[in-house]
Amino acid sequence: MESSNEISLVIQNIKEAFDNAKNIIVIPHSYPDGDAIGSALGIYLTLKATNKKVSLISPNGFPDFLKCLPHCDEIILANKTKSNIDDLFNKADLIICVDFNMANRMENLENYVKQSKALKILIDHHPEPENFCDYIYQTTQASSAAELVFDVIEKTGYKKYMNTEIATNIYAGIMTDTGCFSYSSSNPNTFRVASELMKYGVNADIVYDSIYNNFSFDRMRLLGLSLNEKMTYLPEYKTAYITLSAKELKNYSFKAGDTEGFVNYPLSIKGVIFSAIFIEKANNIKISFRSKGSFPVNKFAIDHFNGGGHVNAAGGESYENLNDCVNKFIALLKNYEDDLNT
Ligand code: 5GP
Ligand code: MN
């Protein structure tokens, strides 16, 4: 999105698309996080309030700690329910994608979307979105997709449908993607939107408590293991990383979402500006990167680990074994010694 003229044209197009649509599908990215689910539920509930037929289809499940979000039980999980998904896509005249910039992040839904004749809208805050939608409302200046979902709802005149449940979902999206308003991605509009949302009755303390103080005992112990035994600190590279094997995850009864946020802890060490976590999954190693300041972890993830993301928060994957993958990471750090020490 560039000039204000271009923005208002996109908004005008989106408004017409909202007004004209009868059968809508909203899609977050695979393994959705708080922003993806909060954004998707926010736009889903808003359009549903207009008596249109709206479905929220996620490629797969979301962590238990998001199960407090209003109406999340209405989300259709594509990997679990095969039956009516073909039918929903056949009937859809509008598809709204939120919180991702590459079509392959929809995984099992990618082909449905690509083959659909429906009008497609993307609302996202990742850099350089792929061209798989008709109208793209995108800027990396926003803290979260949820912040942009609010802007779209407001600018298209759909704010009249806002209520506590919609506001709570959007607030949760912003809260989780900004590290509770602590990251540099927060900007004046982020706080304006949060303030607007609170006027609709969002209980910020309850949203926080339901999401962050609701973990299992096993998850707390897995965090203990990660910090105490599985974290390596490399002061010469201002880097610290955590590794977790599949066996360790099993020992602590790992459930989806349990390791969410672990990658942020190494950044609390004085002097550390680059952190990573390597998690051994059934078929690959899932990696998350975080940084402070100007070190672009999205570029690092794209260049070396088939990934992407934001400047300070990115992820990727590897099909090597855990040891080889971590050794590759350590070897790479040498090439970035100057960048990490500026
Ligand atoms: P997380 O580390 O929390 O899974 O993801 C952080 C950010 O990196 C997210 O905004 C997400 O968009 C991006 N990201 C994570 N994993 C991948 C990946 O495998 N591929 C791409 N392209 N982006 C990813
Ligand atoms: Mn996001």
Side-chain angles (χ1 to χ4, degrees):
M1 274 187 323
E2 293 297 325
S3 71
S4 57
N5 277 349
E6 284 174 49
I7 293 170
S8 53
L9 181 62
V10 173
I11 286 293
Q12 187 56 36
N13 287 330
I14 292 177
K15 180 183 162 26
E16 276 167 28
F18 284 178
D19 292 347
N20 296 334
K22 292 192 174 65
N23 290 286
I24 305 172
I25 295 177
V26 179
I27 304 177
H29 58 75
S30 167
Y31 300 108
D33 59 3
D35 188 27
I37 291 292
S39 301
L41 280 167
I43 195 75
Y44 159 81
L45 292 170
T46 302
L47 294 169
K48 219 177 137 197
T50 67
N51 291 324
K52 295 172 190 296
K53 170 102 180 66
V54 194
S55 310
L56 199 178
I57 310 179
S58 173
N60 38 39
F62 52 94
D64 278 356
F65 64 81
L66 296 174
K67 301 217 162 126
C68 58
L69 293 178
H71 296 271
C72 70
D73 55 326
E74 293 167 30
I75 299 174
I76 298 166
L77 305 181
N79 65 334
K80 294 266 166 69
T81 34
K82 195 76 199 86
S83 54
N84 62 343
I85 289 188
D86 293 271
D87 191 42
L88 291 173
F89 273 97
N90 284 337
K91 288 193 179 132
D93 50 13
L94 178 63
I95 295 174
I96 304 170
C97 299
V98 292
D99 197 33
F100 59 94
N101 59 353
M102 289 154 80
N104 67 10
R105 298 215 66 217
M106 290 181 279
E107 294 198 355
N108 47 9
L109 295 178
E110 179 180 2
N111 282 337
Y112 281 105
V113 173
K114 285 195 163 161
Q115 284 160 20
S116 168
K117 301 231 173 345
L119 204 58
K120 293 159 203 167
I121 294 173
L122 173 68
I123 304 174
D124 184 38
H125 67 134
H126 294 89
E128 297 167 26
E130 258 176 29
N131 201 13
F132 63 97
C133 288
D134 301 285
Y135 305 131
I136 300 181
Y137 192 81
Q138 177 272 352
T139 170
T140 55
Q141 302 300 309
S143 67
S144 50
E147 181 183 328
L148 293 176
V149 161
F150 182 88
D151 287 343
V152 167
I153 290 172
E154 188 174 50
K155 289 178 176 162
T156 52
Y158 277 69
K159 208 171 83 173
K160 57 178 180 268
Y161 300 104
M162 184 68 62
N163 59 29
T164 308
E165 293 177 331
I166 297 171
T168 297
N169 275 300
I170 298 177
Y171 181 87
I174 299 175
M175 184 189 79
T176 52
D177 239 31
T178 58
C180 302
F181 303 93
S182 69
Y183 304 153
S184 62
S185 56
S186 290
N187 63 78
N189 191 52
T190 317
F191 290 97
R192 180 193 74 87
V193 171
S195 149
E196 282 291 307
L197 293 169
M198 289 191 74
K199 291 180 195 160
Y200 288 91
V202 173
N203 271 314
D205 54 334
I206 293 177
V207 177
Y208 178 92
D209 196 55
S210 329
I211 291 182
Y212 290 115
N213 295 334
N214 232 340
F215 292 116
S216 66
F217 184 47
D218 275 330
R219 186 265 184 193
M220 205 57 135
R221 293 177 59 243
L222 182 63
L223 174 62
L225 174 84
S226 302
L227 300 181
N228 198 27
E229 293 177 31
K230 304 305 314 281
M231 181 162 64
T232 305
Y233 174 34
L234 303 171
E236 65 275 33
Y237 301 121
K238 297 187 175 172
T239 296
Y241 64 87
I242 294 167
T243 64
L244 287 172
S245 68
K247 188 163 181 293
E248 285 157 347
L249 296 175
K250 189 162 178 277
N251 287 346
Y252 289 78
S253 319
F254 172 83
K255 287 214 312 270
D258 276 356
T259 52
E260 189 97 16
F262 283 19
V263 66
N264 294 309
Y265 283 90
L267 286 182
S268 302
I269 301 167
K270 188 175 178 183
V272 168
I273 62 156
F274 184 23
S275 73
I277 187 165
F278 300 84
I279 300 172
E280 188 181 26
K281 303 280 183 189
N283 303 315
N284 66 355
I285 311 295
K286 183 75 191 105
I287 312 162
S288 287
F289 299 108
R290 297 292 186 271
S291 69
K292 273 197 237 179
S294 59
F295 185 69
V297 286
N298 52 356
K299 188 163 185 324
F300 189 87
I302 292 166
D303 289 349
H304 307 296
F305 292 99
N306 311 306
H310 311 273
V311 173
N312 296 124
E317 58 189 7
S318 164
Y319 290 88
E320 292 176 301
N321 69 43
L322 185 56
N323 257 337
D324 291 350
C325 176
V326 173
N327 286 336
K328 170 181 160 178
F329 172 73
I330 298 167
L332 279 167
L333 290 174
K334 271 198 175 42
N335 306 338
Y336 291 88
E337 197 164 1
D338 292 343
D339 299 326
L340 291 163
N341 283 291
T342 48

